[in-house]
């Protein structure tokens, strides 16, 4: 996400980070034969799941979602049945599994992640509640209790009739209904359309720390997803035009409405945007169809051009775009832009006049670049938000050199990165007081501090590392990182290792910048601002 202009606490519920885990025991250094056996089991499962990214081994262990959705715009209601074929890819036996119910974060004024000072933009008609009601849960055809937990009942715990060993599957069926709030955000209804971000029960990730059950924090993108396969049907009024993840397979009439069929393979989530006013424009970036959905056609044409050039640029630099289409959707979204697989939503205000097109360009490029960093190479966006946001922001600056020239790249860096950092060190302060891009998202005091440290300072650290290594070696390291971690979940250690492979010491050099061991001085920022 890119928040123009722009805490929480870990929630200790039944399964939390840090729980006892065979995966944790299997870490190096424990040194006993039981640990060895656990490690072997973990490696076998990991090899099946991840040994061939995107290949048959990975596909056989991916989770699969089958979503049947019906939308009633007058009531702002999305009814759904989610059938989830879950595979336990961990060495631990699982007695329960967990789903995030993200819409419940918007149920009341106390739980909403929208800061009060931003309500006028987010809730233009005043606070409007939303949420997800779960009617029934079945596991392998057997009814199980509906157990809700979390700060705002935004976690669904599904107790399994039988424990699942590593590599075993079960089928979970959840009947639910979502009420969209009147909200200009990822999930909601705005003046021009509807946003369906995170609008279905979403499997939590189980990793070496246990189940990741973070609440909907206000800072950044509070998400952490693994790749899965999706089959989706959406029934809605004929007049609504839908931008979406994946590919539409067919459409059929359904009692005066229309039913659309979609599929998406090996993606981290499924999202949609809908509007009666959308006009669709298309262009090709190699074999990829770029689609622009907008009610402002001139702005839509600009967004189409920016997205196309970004796909061309990053497909050449890093790895070919992972999908047949990319949709850029003008949206009632007050905080700039947001990424989803094959889909980005952009604040509708930036489409209005040519004076705002520089911001439309920057945000469209940033969200499109997320298709590589978050979409293709995943990460825990709560605990390591810098890993996708800093790389994406850095690549956004590089785009200007690709599309225009070196001077444009330097100018963009000054305007979007250096100026942001300078705001954190006003006159009389020799350096920004906080210099740490490695904190979890909820530890930053507010969105402004988060943005400066994770986006701006993170991109600055990457640029300095590029200068240290040389651009050719730095780009080679990024290509290796993307190729090695495609369709998987990466950590900062993976990026450091890719840098080290190209130049010993480069990973530590980046870490020193990110952690604050290397400091950014106000005098150096001022000097950069004065350069031609």
């Amino acid at each position: 996400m890119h928040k123009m202009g722009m805490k929480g606490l870990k929630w200790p519920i039944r399964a939390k980070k840090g729980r006892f885990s065979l995966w944790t025991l299997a870490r190096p250094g424990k040194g006993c034969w039981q640990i060895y056996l656990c490690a072997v089991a973990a490696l076998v499962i990991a090899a099946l799941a991840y040994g061939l990214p995107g290949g048959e081994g990975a596909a056989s262990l991916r989770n699969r979602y089958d979503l049947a959705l019906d939308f009633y715009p007058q009531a702002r209601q999305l009814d759904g049945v989610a059938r989830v074929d879950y595979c336990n890819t961990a060495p631990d036996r699982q007695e329960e599994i967990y789903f995030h119910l993200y819409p419940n974060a918007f149920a009341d004024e106390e739980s909403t992640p929208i800061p009060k000072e931003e309500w006028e933009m987010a809730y233009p008609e005043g606070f409007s509640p939303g949420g997800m009601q779960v009617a029934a849960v079945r596991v392998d055809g057997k009814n199980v209790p509906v157990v809700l937990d979390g700060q705002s009942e935004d976690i669904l715990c599904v107790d399994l009739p039988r424990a699942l060993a590593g590599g075993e599957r079960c089928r979970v069926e959840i009947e639910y209904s979502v009420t969209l709030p009147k909200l200009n955000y990822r999930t909601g209804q705005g003046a021009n359309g509807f946003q369906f971000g995170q609008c279905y029960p979403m499997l939590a990730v189980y990793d070496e720390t246990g189940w990741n059950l973070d609440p909907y924090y206000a800072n950044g993108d509070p998400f952490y997803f693994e790749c899965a396969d999706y089959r989706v049907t959406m029934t809605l009024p004929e007049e609504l035009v839908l931008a979406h993840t994946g590919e539409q397979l067919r459409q059929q009439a359904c009692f005066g409405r229309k039913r659309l069929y979609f599929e998406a393979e090996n993606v981290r989530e499924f999202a949609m945007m809908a509007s009666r006013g959308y006009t669709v424009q298309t262009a090709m970036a190699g074999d990829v169809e770029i689609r622009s959905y907008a009610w402002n056609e001139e702005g839509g044409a600009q967004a189409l051009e920016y997205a196309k050039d970004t796909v061309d640029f990053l497909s050449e630099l890093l790895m070919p775009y992972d999908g047949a289409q990319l949709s850029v959707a003008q949206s009632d979204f007050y905080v700039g832009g947001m990424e989803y697989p094959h889909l980005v939503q952009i604040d509708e205000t930036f489409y209005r006049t040519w004076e705002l097109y520089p911001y439309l360009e920057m945000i469209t490029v940033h969200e499109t670049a997320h298709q590589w960093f978050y979409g293709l190479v995943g990460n825990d966006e709560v605990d390591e938000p810098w890993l996708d946001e800093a790389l994406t922001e850095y690549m956004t600056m590089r785009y200007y050199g690709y599309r225009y020239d070196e001077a444009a790249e330097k100018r963009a860096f000054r305007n979007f990165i250096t100026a942001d950092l300078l705001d954190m060190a006003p006159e009389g302060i020799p350096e920004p007081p906080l210099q740490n891009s490695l904190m979890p998202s909820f530890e930053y005091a507010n969105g402004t501090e988060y943005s400066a440290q994770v986006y701006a300072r993170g991109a600055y650290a990457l640029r300095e590392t590029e200068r240290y290594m040389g651009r050719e070696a730095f780009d080679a390291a990024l290509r290796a990182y993307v190729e090695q971690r495609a369709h998987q979940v990466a950590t900062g250690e993976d990026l450091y290792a890719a840098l080290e492979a190209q130049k010993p010491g480069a990973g530590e050099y980046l870490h020193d910048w990110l952690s604050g061991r290397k400091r950014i001085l106000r005098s150096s920022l001022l000097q950069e601002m004065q350069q031609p």
Side-chain angles (χ1 to χ4, degrees):
M1 182 174 77
H2 205 295
K3 187 171 183 178
M4 291 298 294
M6 328 223 293
K7 104 186 169 188
L9 298 173
K10 292 290 184 182
W11 189 245
I13 63 180
R14 288 200 291 167
K16 58 181 181 294
K17 293 187 176 184
R19 60 169 285 176
F20 178 85
S21 163
L22 292 181
W23 221 336
T24 304
L25 287 177
R27 289 176 176 173
K30 296 290 183 180
C32 67
W33 69 269
Q34 293 100 328
I35 308 304
Y36 174 77
L37 290 177
C38 292
V40 169
L43 288 171
V44 169
I45 294 170
L48 287 171
Y50 303 119
L52 297 171
E56 292 182 6
S60 68
L61 293 179
R62 280 201 300 268
N63 298 316
R64 296 191 286 267
Y65 288 82
D66 187 339
L67 305 178
L69 308 173
D70 286 272
F71 181 53
Y72 302 93
Q74 294 296 331
R76 310 195 315 275
Q77 182 172 322
L78 180 70
D79 293 337
V81 177
R83 298 176 179 89
V84 182
D85 189 2
Y86 169 76
C87 182
N88 177 18
T89 58
D92 297 352
R93 291 175 67 83
Q94 301 292 359
E95 296 181 354
E96 67 273 322
I97 58 178
Y98 293 84
F99 291 82
H100 291 280
L101 310 180
Y102 287 112
N104 283 348
F106 304 96
D108 56 58
E109 297 185 18
E110 298 303 317
S111 67
T112 180
I114 309 298
K116 284 282 179 68
E117 61 271 20
E118 299 176 10
W119 276 22
E120 186 174 348
M121 295 180 292
Y123 295 105
E125 299 180 21
F127 178 79
S128 168
M132 180 185 293
Q133 298 293 321
V134 176
V137 180
R138 287 176 286 275
V139 178
D140 293 332
K142 298 178 180 178
N143 290 319
V144 298
V146 176
V147 180
L148 301 181
D149 213 328
Q151 288 183 346
S152 52
E153 295 193 334
D154 56 352
I155 298 293
L156 171 66
C157 173
V158 178
D159 290 312
L160 302 179
R162 65 176 183 86
L164 289 183
E168 290 187 332
R169 286 187 173 273
C170 69
R171 187 173 178 81
V172 181
E173 183 173 309
I174 305 170
E175 297 178 15
Y176 66 97
S177 180
V178 174
T179 300
L180 297 179
K182 293 183 178 180
L183 173 63
N184 296 331
Y185 206 50
R186 301 179 181 104
T187 305
Q189 178 190 10
N192 302 283
F194 304 90
Q195 295 81 246
F196 302 100
Q198 295 86 41
C199 272
Y200 58 93
M202 305 183 75
L203 275 166
V205 172
Y206 185 89
D207 61 16
E208 69 275 8
T209 66
W211 286 101
N212 289 259
L213 304 175
D214 296 281
Y216 205 125
Y217 296 116
N219 287 342
D221 305 335
F223 309 123
Y224 178 14
F225 304 131
E226 293 177 314
C227 286
D229 296 334
Y230 287 82
R231 302 290 182 273
V232 180
T233 63
M234 175 66 153
T235 305
L236 70 168
E238 284 278 358
E239 66 270 17
L240 285 177
V241 179
L242 202 67
H244 53 83
T245 297
E247 278 299 297
Q248 181 177 324
L249 303 178
R250 64 186 188 278
Q251 173 178 331
Q252 67 182 44
C254 185
F255 302 104
R257 290 152 58 87
K258 62 182 177 183
R259 177 167 293 163
L260 309 178
Y261 294 79
F262 305 100
E263 77 173 7
E265 293 189 347
N266 221 3
V267 297
R268 299 192 187 275
E269 58 181 310
F270 191 95
M272 301 171 290
M273 306 289 143
S275 175
R276 294 176 177 85
Y278 276 153
T279 296
V280 184
Q281 302 175 67
T282 64
M284 298 300 295
D287 294 332
V288 180
E289 183 177 62
I290 312 299
R291 304 169 186 166
S292 176
Y293 292 77
W295 47 87
N296 182 305
E297 290 191 45
E298 183 178 345
Q302 293 295 317
L304 180 70
E305 185 178 333
Y306 305 145
K308 175 191 177 303
D309 287 349
T310 307
V311 170
D312 282 335
F313 168 48
L314 293 178
S315 293
E316 176 184 331
L317 179 65
L318 297 174
M319 189 174 180
Y321 174 80
D322 185 44
Q325 67 91 12
L326 171 69
S327 295
V328 182
Q330 186 176 15
S331 177
D332 297 305
F333 184 64
Y334 83 98
V335 286
M338 182 64 199
E339 72 279 1
Y340 308 91
H342 310 155
L343 172 67
V344 300
Q345 68 177 133
I346 308 294
D347 182 345
E348 63 92 16
T349 59
F350 297 122
Y351 286 70
R352 294 179 184 178
T353 65
W354 66 268
E355 291 93 344
L356 294 172
Y357 288 168
Y359 299 101
L360 176 63
E361 180 173 24
M362 190 271 286
I363 293 172
T364 301
V365 174
H366 177 98
E367 304 309 336
T368 301
H370 267 302
Q371 299 300 313
W372 281 263
F373 302 112
Y374 150 78
L376 186 58
V377 180
N379 62 290
D380 183 339
E381 296 180 281
V382 175
D383 286 348
E384 288 192 298
W386 72 271
L387 190 53
D388 66 303
E389 294 295 359
L391 282 165
T392 297
E393 193 78 336
Y394 166 81
M395 281 301 169
T396 301
M397 302 305 109
R398 288 281 300 272
Y399 153 92
Y400 288 92
Y402 169 83
R403 190 170 195 256
Y404 303 104
D405 53 33
E406 183 180 352
E409 182 178 330
K410 291 180 178 178
R411 189 163 54 249
F413 202 95
R414 286 198 304 270
N415 291 341
F416 295 123
I417 305 300
T418 309
D420 252 15
L421 293 170
L422 199 54
D423 286 343
M424 302 301 288
E427 190 172 354
I429 298 178
E431 62 180 55
L434 176 64
Q435 299 208 32
N436 188 348
S437 304
L438 297 177
M439 292 160 54
S441 62
F442 55 85
E443 290 188 4
Y444 293 103
N446 50 49
T448 300
E449 185 176 272
Y450 170 85
S451 179
Q453 296 298 319
V454 172
Y455 291 69
R457 199 173 181 288
Y460 190 100
L462 288 164
R463 186 195 63 176
E464 293 305 299
T465 305
E466 176 216 309
R467 289 176 170 177
Y468 172 76
M469 298 177 66
R471 180 163 284 190
E472 184 177 347
F474 185 77
D475 288 351
L478 290 187
R479 278 193 293 275
Y481 168 73
V482 171
E483 290 169 1
Q484 291 163 8
R485 302 307 296 168
H487 299 116
Q488 301 177 49
V489 173
T491 67
E493 295 298 328
D494 295 314
L495 180 57
Y496 301 147
L499 296 170
E500 289 284 339
Q502 287 294 321
K503 180 173 182 176
E508 183 178 0
Y509 188 85
L510 173 60
H511 185 270
D512 285 350
W513 273 110
L514 293 169
S515 66
R517 289 197 188 109
K518 292 184 181 293
R519 311 292 288 178
I520 299 174
L521 301 177
R522 186 173 191 275
S523 57
S524 64
L525 296 173
L526 285 171
Q527 184 178 1
E528 184 166 349
M529 289 298 291
Q530 293 165 2
Q531 291 176 358

